[in-house]
Amino acid sequence: MRDRTRLVDYVTAELDRIGVRYVFGVGGANIEDLYDAVSRTHGRIRGVVAKHEFSAVTMADGYARATARLGIVAATSGGGAMNLVPGLAEAHASRIPLLALVGQPPTDQDGRGAFQDSSGRAGSFDALDVFAPVSRFCARVTEPGSIAGLLARAVSAAQTDPRGPAVLLLPKDVQQSTVDMTAGAGVARPLHTAEGLDTGGSPQPADPAVLATALDVLQNASRVLVIAGEGVAGALAREELAALVSRLGACVAVTPDAKDVFDNRSPRFVGVAGVMGHREVEDCLSRADACLLVGTRLPVLARGRLETALTTTPVVCVDPEPPFVPGVALRGGLIGTLRTLRHRLRPRPPACPAHSSPSVLSTPALPGAATGYGAAVASIAGALPQDAHVFVDAGNVGASVIHALPAPRNGRFVVAVGMGGMGYTFGAGIGAALATGRRTYVVAGDGAFFMHGMEVHTAVEYDAPVTFVVLNNNAHAMCATREELFQGGARTENLFRPAGIAAGVAAMFPRLQVASADTPSQLRAALLRSNTRRGPSLVAMDFDHREIPPFQPFLTGTSGTTTNPSGHLHSDDQEQTHDRAIHVG
C-alpha cells in the first residue's frame, strides 16, 4: 500500500530534514494549510508571525545572515504576496539564500474572478512575472507530483552562487492534495543540506590560467591592500581570509556591510572602505602595489573616494561574480580559492603602517546640541557584548554607526545595502536573535522605526533577546541634509513634530523594558541593563536632525558652507558642493 501525505506535510518534513527551525511570515486563507503543517511538526519547526510581510522576509534574511543557513518565509496571496517583493529584492541584491512559499487561490478559480487572482489569466497579472526578477528560481506548483523536484531545485538555486531567494507559488488546492511518498513516487533528488555551502557539489575551482595571473600580481606586490566583503561571512571564510592576510602581510579594509569579517582591533585593520569609511583606506590604497578584493565586487558605496587610485592599482577579485572595477576575476569558491592562494604564495613581513585604530571623521558642531551621534556610538560600543549581533538601519544614524562602531569580535555586524530599505533591521534583528539566542542590537533612526518598528510587538510575543536602539532626530534627516546642502534648504515635509517614541512604546507594551536617555552615560547604562534581560528592550534618545554624519558626499558638501545662528547650513558655492563624483541616493 502506498504511503501518501498532504503536500504541505511533505514540504515541512523536507524542511525539517535539512535543519530548518523557523518559518517566518504572515498567515491567510491561501497559506493556512502550510502553517497547519508547521504546527504538526510538534515544535521542530516554529512558525513566527510578523506584523508585515516585508519584515517577515527580513526575519528570514537576518536568520540566514546570522547562521549562513537557508531562511524560510511564507505568506498568502494578493497583498501579502506583493509585500514580500522589497524584502526579496534586498536578499537578491545582497546574495542571501531564502525560500519563499507563497499561497495562491485554488487552480480551478484561475482566470474566473478569483479573489487575489495572480494567475496571469483573463486580465490578471502573473505572479511569476512579479517574483522572477527578484529570485534565482521561481515556479508555480500546479501538479502535486512535481513538488519533490521543484522544492529540491528551489533550495539548490537559493544556495548556489550567486545565492539569493527562490520562490514557490502554492495554490490552495495543491497544498491540500496528497502526494505519494514511496520510492516510485518520483522524488527527483534529495534536498541539499541547509548547513552547507556546497549545494549541488563543491564550488568550481578557479581557472588555472587566471589563477596564475593572480598569483603573479600578488607575489610581485610588496604592499597589498585587502578589501573584504559580505561574501566572506556568507561563505564562513573568516579564518581563511585571516590566514591569507597574514601570509601577504597585508592591510585590511572592509565594505560597509562586512565590518565583522575581520578583527576591527587588529593592527592590520585600516577601516571601512567607501563613502562612510576612513581616510586610512585611501592612504593604504595609494601606497599599495596591488588590491585584493575578497567576497565583494566593490559597488559604489564601497569604492567611493577610491576610484582614482583603483585605476592605477592592479586588482585581483576572489568572488563568485566579476568585480565592478577592472581586475583579475578569480571566480571559484571563496574558501578553496583563499586556501590555494595562501599555499601558493610566499610569506612576507607585515607591510601595514603603524596605527592605533581608524580615525573617526569630525562633523560640524551644532549650536545648543546636547550630544551627537559620535558620543552615542561610543556609548553603544561601551555596552555591546562581544558575542552580540548588530543590525544597522539606513540613514544618517546608520552612516554614523557604520563609520564609528567597532564590530563585535564574535557576532555579526549587518547592514542591508543591497536595496538600502529603511526599517529592514527590525525584522532582521529578530530573525538573528531567534536563530542564535544571542543578544542582538538593532540601531535605527525614527524614520526606520515608523516604517517597521511595530515588529517590536513580534519581539515581545516571542521573547526575542533584541535591544532596539532608536536614535530619534524627528526627521528623514538624510533627505533633509541633501536638501540643505544641494537644493538651497530643507523642505518642511521631511522635518517632523517631536515624537516621544519611548513613552509611546512603553504605553503599548507594558512587559517591554523601555528607557529614554538624555545623555551618553544614560544611554550606556540603559543598554547595559538590557544585556542582563532575557527578552527584548528598547532605548530611545533624541538628536538634532542638522548634524552631518560621516558620509562623504555630505562632508564634501559642507566644505564650502557656513552655519547661521539658527544652526542651518548655507553653501558658499552651491555648484562646488554637489556630489557629482559620488552619487548615493
Side-chain angles (χ1 to χ4, degrees), residues 449-502:
F449 173 82
F450 288 128
M451 287 193 178
H452 290 286
M454 285 303 98
E455 296 302 335
V456 169
H457 176 268
T458 309
V460 171
E461 286 296 301
Y462 293 91
D463 207 25
V466 182
T467 298
F468 299 98
V469 186
V470 182
L471 307 183
N472 177 18
N473 50 35
N474 292 298
H476 282 166
M478 185 163 276
C479 297
T481 304
R482 290 190 65 85
E483 294 161 5
E484 195 70 72
L485 293 175
F486 307 135
Q487 296 185 333
R491 298 187 292 272
T492 57
E493 63 264 26
N494 283 315
L495 305 177
F496 311 142
R497 296 181 180 90
I501 291 176

Side-chain angles (χ1 to χ4, degrees), residues 70-93:
L70 181 69
I72 311 293
V73 61
T76 194
S77 51
M82 295 304 99
N83 285 340
L84 298 172
V85 173
L88 294 177
E90 167 60 40
H92 184 279

